[in-house]
Amino acid sequence: MKNFFYTILVLSGLIPATYLLIIAGLFLSEIIPSLREDSSQTKTLFSLLMGICGYIGLVIALIPKFYSKHLVKILFCLIGILGFALFMTVEGNGITWNWFTKMEEPDAWLIFMWPNIVCIILIILNLIQWTKSSKS
């Protein structure tokens, strides 16, 4: 039963994260060609790649081969959260953080925040499992 809720939790984060991955792909398709002439998009590129790492962290949380790879999942999820924060800071110019704190559009807020909330939960769960496995 515990595995069922874990799987549902991760899948609930993957659904909006897949939407964000598609948006990131669209951003990347515009940023990469223009990067040679204009290097100002480097932070955005880096943040998008970090966000993709977060998506990978969610995906590998479902793969049985990685169930015991707690540190790998922690790192991927942490990099994804940092990438999200960097993207919101670089692209939003502070306006985005104001929008997030006010929760003016709860549905959009959930689409952007739920994958990060799931990643935070996975980090906590994997830290607990990692400390338990290192003690035995």
Side-chain angles (χ1 to χ4, degrees):
M1 192 67 158
K2 191 162 81 172
N3 285 340
F4 174 76
F5 287 117
Y6 178 82
T7 302
I8 295 298
L9 174 71
V10 175
L11 286 175
S12 74
L14 270 173
I15 292 168
T18 301
Y19 172 71
L20 296 175
L21 180 70
I22 293 167
I23 293 172
L26 295 173
F27 267 107
L28 285 173
S29 67
E30 290 189 22
I31 290 173
I32 291 175
S34 66
L35 200 58
R36 291 185 181 154
E37 298 91 32
D38 181 19
S39 62
S40 66
Q41 296 291 327
T42 306
K43 289 180 188 174
T44 304
L45 174 67
F46 191 63
S47 68
L48 290 172
L49 294 175
M50 290 173 70
I52 292 171
C53 286
Y55 186 84
I56 292 169
L58 288 173
V59 170
I60 64 173
L62 291 176
I63 300 173
K65 179 180 176 180
F66 288 95
Y67 280 164
S68 62
K69 308 287 186 195
H70 304 295
L71 187 58
V72 172
K73 293 184 279 188
I74 290 168
L75 289 175
F76 273 109
C77 286
L78 189 60
I79 291 169
I81 292 170
L82 292 173
F84 173 77
L86 179 64
F87 183 80
M88 289 295 126
T89 303
V90 169
E91 289 297 315
N93 299 327
I95 298 168
T96 310
W97 288 116
N98 188 32
W99 177 77
F100 273 118
T101 56
K102 290 184 180 180
M103 282 183 59
E104 294 171 356
E105 300 171 42
D107 52 341
W109 189 88
L110 275 175
I111 289 171
F112 286 97
M113 289 305 293
W114 186 247
N116 292 299
I117 293 168
V118 171
C119 278
I120 291 169
I121 293 168
L122 288 178
I123 289 170
I124 293 168
L125 291 175
N126 280 287
L127 279 171
I128 292 168
Q129 291 299 320
W130 188 37
T131 54
K132 281 182 183 179
S133 66
S134 64
K135 288 181 182 179
S136 21

